[in-house]
């Protein structure tokens, strides 16, 4: 295991950098992909919802298998890096096909490339998350590693918001310098511009950006960051490992928290573009998200400090309260309330920084508890379970949000009835409360505090030392 002193700022930056293109994938899928395939390609919303449900369901099978394979991998370059090398080209191809689909797109085409994209995401994402948990064993150093990764995540999200903004403010007869001025005006003085008919160019530009940046950042992480192999490890079969996991109440608790929070966020994100554009009346959605992610970046040092001061779980509770309050207040916005929306969205963005990295850092601490009980180092299995839970949660929430607004009469890209618009408003603003309230209760009484984790690490180090002596004998 890498020692605390050997984890340099360069290691953290190089490791976190890979999160940039991965985040650039997540944002358009969450915000732009469903509107594109429903409004531009013309696939009915309820069919898209069912396709995404089917495509995501494969992760229930692949995630724990790939987590176990990652934990069992032994190569000269480590056990996480080979899987990332395998996943990058698959992801690049799938993103290209999904984001630049051409003129003839069938339902089968959408299903196949969505499933391959999710598979590539699993092959990269599970070892990447486990790798971050293994770089350092220290409670606060892990927050630095995960916080650094989530900082890069927000940079990726910011880039992916600036790309559509650049397309939104540009056009025939508009010079490059004028486009820059229009971008700055949209971000900093909240100026709005017409964006009609630009969704195809927006998605294609984001796809090309991902295809270019993914191999670059993956190469830097593979080159610069050590992939530490545990000194002492008991091999645990997959079925036995899942049995141990099911008997770990702390793991069940943190996974349930993650399930609820991701469900709430995914439910709202599915409806976000339509709420911002069709309810509030803002057309330059990219500018709104650019400010949102800038606020998230600014917020990360604060959430790191708060997590260190109060404990990660209490800091996370504050992010949940802030996020939920903003969503509730959005219910009272009327069309044309641009300034009020921008203020609320900035607060939500600031909370987003903590919402991103605190649960992952808490999960990394739970790996230590499992190691003490089982003698294994199964970060891959744990982050596979986390990935599976996150994907199932998002799958159900995205499907539910799309189905609910579709059955309420909402049709993307058309003039909708008052009742359909009211349904959109209710689901966007209040839907997340059904998930965040129980998550808040579970998090507030979370038992693994920083003091208890320090005791846990001491016991684990003692256990490892005893095992090493026994092995030597």
């Amino acid at each position: 295991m890498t020692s605390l002193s050997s984890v340099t700022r360069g290691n953290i930056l190089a490791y976190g950098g890979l999160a940039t293109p991965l985040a650039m994938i997540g944002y358009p899928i969450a915000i732009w992909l469903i509107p594109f395939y429903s409004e531009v390609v013309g696939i009915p919303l309820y069919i898209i919802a069912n396709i995404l449900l089917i495509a995501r369901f494969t992760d229930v099978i692949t995630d724990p298998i790939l987590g176990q394979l990652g934990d069992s991998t032994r190569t000269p370059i480590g056990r996480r890096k080979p899987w990332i090398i395998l996943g990058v080209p698959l992801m690049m191809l799938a993103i290209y096909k999904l984001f630049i689909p051409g003129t003839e797109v069938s339902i089968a085409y959408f299903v196949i490339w969505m499933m391959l994209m999710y598979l590539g995401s699993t092959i990269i994402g599970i070892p990447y998350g486990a790798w971050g948990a293994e770089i350092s064993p220290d409670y606060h150093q892990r927050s630095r590693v995960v916080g650094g990764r989530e900082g890069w995540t927000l940079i990726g999200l910011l880039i992916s918001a600036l790309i559509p903004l650049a397309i939104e403010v540009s056009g025939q007869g508009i010079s490059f310098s004028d486009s820059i001025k229009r971008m700055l005006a949209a971000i900093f003085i909240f100026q709005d511009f017409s964006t009609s008919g630009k969704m195809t160019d927006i998605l294609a530009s984001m796809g090309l950006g991902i295809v270019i940046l993914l191999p670059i950042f993956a190469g830097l992480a593979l080159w610069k960051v050590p992939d530490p192999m545990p000194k002492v490890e008991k091999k645990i079969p997959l079925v036995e490992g899942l049995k141990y996991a099911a008997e770990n109440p702390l793991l069940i608790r943190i996974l349930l928290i993650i399930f609820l929070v991701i469900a709430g966020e995914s439910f709202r994100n599915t409806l976000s573009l339509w709420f911002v554009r069709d309810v509030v009346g803002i057309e330059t959605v990219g500018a709104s998200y650019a400010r949102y992610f800038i606020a998230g970046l600014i917020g990360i040092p604060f959430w790191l400090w708060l997590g260190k001061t109060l404990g990660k779980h209490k800091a996370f509770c504050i992010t949940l309260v802030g996020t939920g309050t903003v969503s509730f207040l959005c219910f009272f916005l009327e069309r044309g309330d641009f300034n009020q929306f921008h203020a609320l969205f900035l607060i939500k963005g600031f909370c987003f920084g903590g919402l991103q990295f605190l649960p992952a850092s808490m999960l990394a601490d739970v790996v230590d508890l499992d190691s003490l009980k089982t003698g294994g180092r199964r970060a891959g299995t744990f982050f596979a379970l986390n990935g599976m839970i996150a994907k199932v949660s998002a799958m159900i929430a995205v499907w539910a949000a799309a189905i609910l607004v579709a059955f309420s009469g909402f049709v993307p890209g058309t003039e909708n009835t008052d009742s359909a618009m009211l349904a959109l408003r209710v689901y966007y603003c209040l839907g997340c409360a059904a998930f965040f309230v129980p998550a808040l209760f579970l998090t507030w009484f979370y038992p693994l505090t920083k003091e208890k984790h320090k005791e846990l690490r001491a016991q684990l180090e003692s256990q490892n030392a005893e095992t090493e002596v026994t092995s030597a004998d």
Side-chain angles (χ1 to χ4, degrees):
M1 182 68 66
T2 306
S3 67
L4 178 62
S5 60
S6 66
V7 180
T8 66
R9 182 174 296 179
N11 294 148
I12 294 173
L13 290 174
Y15 167 75
L18 180 53
T20 297
L22 296 180
M24 292 176 65
I25 296 167
Y27 166 70
I29 288 174
I31 305 299
W32 292 94
L33 200 68
I34 293 177
F36 171 77
Y37 276 92
S38 61
E39 295 182 20
V40 177
V41 177
I43 300 175
L45 187 55
Y46 74 93
I47 293 179
I48 293 176
N50 289 320
I51 288 173
L52 293 175
L53 189 70
I54 294 168
R56 271 294 195 190
F57 187 74
T58 58
D59 289 329
V60 176
I61 300 170
T62 59
D63 277 23
I65 294 173
L66 285 168
Q68 176 72 9
L69 288 173
D71 284 341
S72 304
T73 299
R74 298 291 182 274
T75 74
I77 62 172
R79 59 179 181 172
R80 309 302 178 193
K81 291 181 178 181
W83 293 98
I84 293 174
I85 293 171
L86 178 65
V88 166
L90 175 60
M91 179 67 88
M92 291 169 64
L93 178 61
I95 288 296
Y96 182 85
K97 291 291 188 179
L98 274 175
F99 285 44
I100 314 173
T103 55
E104 298 295 328
V105 180
S106 64
I107 292 175
Y109 177 100
F110 186 48
V111 170
I112 290 169
W113 288 112
M114 281 300 300
M115 293 179 71
L116 289 175
M117 188 279 298
Y118 284 140
L119 178 61
S121 174
T122 297
I123 294 173
I124 297 173
I126 288 174
Y128 182 58
W131 192 8
E134 293 168 341
I135 291 174
S136 172
D138 181 74
Y139 180 87
H140 294 305
Q141 187 69 280
R142 277 180 176 157
S143 288
R144 286 187 62 216
V145 171
V146 178
R149 182 181 70 205
E150 298 311 319
W152 280 104
T153 295
L154 286 166
I155 290 172
L157 291 170
L158 177 58
I159 293 171
S160 61
L162 290 174
I163 290 173
L165 175 58
I167 303 299
E168 286 170 344
V169 301
S170 63
Q172 189 173 5
I174 301 174
S175 66
F176 177 76
S177 61
D178 285 340
S179 293
I180 297 296
K181 292 177 183 177
R182 285 159 68 94
M183 286 182 68
L184 294 174
I187 294 173
F188 295 110
I189 63 174
F190 306 154
Q191 188 171 346
D192 203 29
F193 300 93
S194 175
T195 63
S196 177
K198 295 182 178 179
M199 197 174 290
T200 300
D201 293 336
I202 287 172
L203 209 65
S205 299
M206 286 193 285
L208 289 175
I210 294 164
V211 168
I212 292 169
L213 292 180
L214 180 58
I216 294 173
F217 280 99
L220 285 172
L222 294 168
W223 176 36
K224 290 289 187 180
V225 184
D227 185 357
M229 299 288 289
K231 294 178 181 178
V232 180
E233 180 174 26
K234 174 186 174 183
K235 292 185 178 179
I236 302 172
L238 176 59
V239 174
E240 184 182 351
L242 292 175
K243 180 176 179 290
Y244 278 130
E247 294 172 351
N248 184 338
L250 200 58
L251 174 64
I252 300 300
R253 189 186 191 115
I254 188 63
L255 290 178
L256 182 56
I257 291 168
I258 290 170
F259 178 92
L260 291 167
V261 171
I262 290 178
E265 284 289 280
S266 299
F267 189 94
R268 179 175 45 221
N269 285 340
T270 303
L271 310 175
S272 183
L273 185 144
W274 296 319
F275 180 83
V276 175
R277 186 191 66 188
D278 300 342
V279 174
V280 183
I282 296 171
E283 292 200 47
T284 47
V285 177
S288 298
Y289 273 97
R291 287 188 296 272
Y292 179 91
F293 296 134
I294 290 171
L297 273 172
I298 293 171
I300 281 184
F302 170 79
W303 296 114
L304 280 169
W305 169 82
L306 196 65
K308 191 172 183 179
T309 303
L310 300 180
K312 298 173 189 177
H313 66 294
K314 290 189 177 179
F316 186 56
C317 285
I318 294 173
T319 68
L320 288 174
V321 172
T323 302
T325 301
V326 166
S327 295
F328 175 73
L329 292 175
C330 281
F331 180 81
F332 302 99
L333 295 176
E334 299 294 339
R335 190 170 186 85
D337 287 344
F338 296 169
N339 291 336
Q340 295 92 324
F341 172 80
H342 293 318
L344 290 171
F345 215 49
L346 283 172
I347 297 171
K348 168 67 170 63
F350 188 84
C351 293
F352 180 75
L355 208 63
Q356 281 286 100
F357 83 87
L358 285 168
S361 185
M362 291 162 65
L363 177 61
D365 297 334
V366 175
V367 174
D368 290 334
L369 180 61
D370 175 78
S371 299
L372 185 64
K373 290 183 176 180
T374 67
R377 288 294 301 173
R378 303 187 302 131
T381 299
F382 273 47
F383 276 85
L385 288 171
N386 173 53
M388 183 181 72
I389 290 295
K391 290 169 185 175
V392 169
S393 172
M395 169 185 76
I396 294 171
V398 169
W399 176 83
I403 288 293
L404 284 171
V405 294
F407 284 167
S408 298
F410 181 80
V411 180
T414 66
E415 285 289 332
N416 284 281
T417 64
D418 290 342
S419 61
M421 296 304 294
L422 177 60
L424 175 62
R425 179 192 294 271
V426 169
Y427 290 133
Y428 175 84
C429 300
L430 306 181
C432 67
F435 305 100
F436 279 14
V437 170
L440 179 63
F441 176 81
L442 290 169
T443 305
W444 183 257
F445 296 102
Y446 189 73
L448 187 55
T449 62
K450 60 183 179 181
E451 293 80 14
K452 290 184 179 179
H453 181 262
K454 186 176 180 180
E455 296 174 7
L456 178 64
R457 283 302 312 174
Q459 294 176 43
L460 186 58
E461 293 298 334
S462 176
Q463 182 188 77
N464 287 344
E466 291 174 5
T467 306
E468 285 181 342
V469 170
T470 304
S471 300
D473 294 340

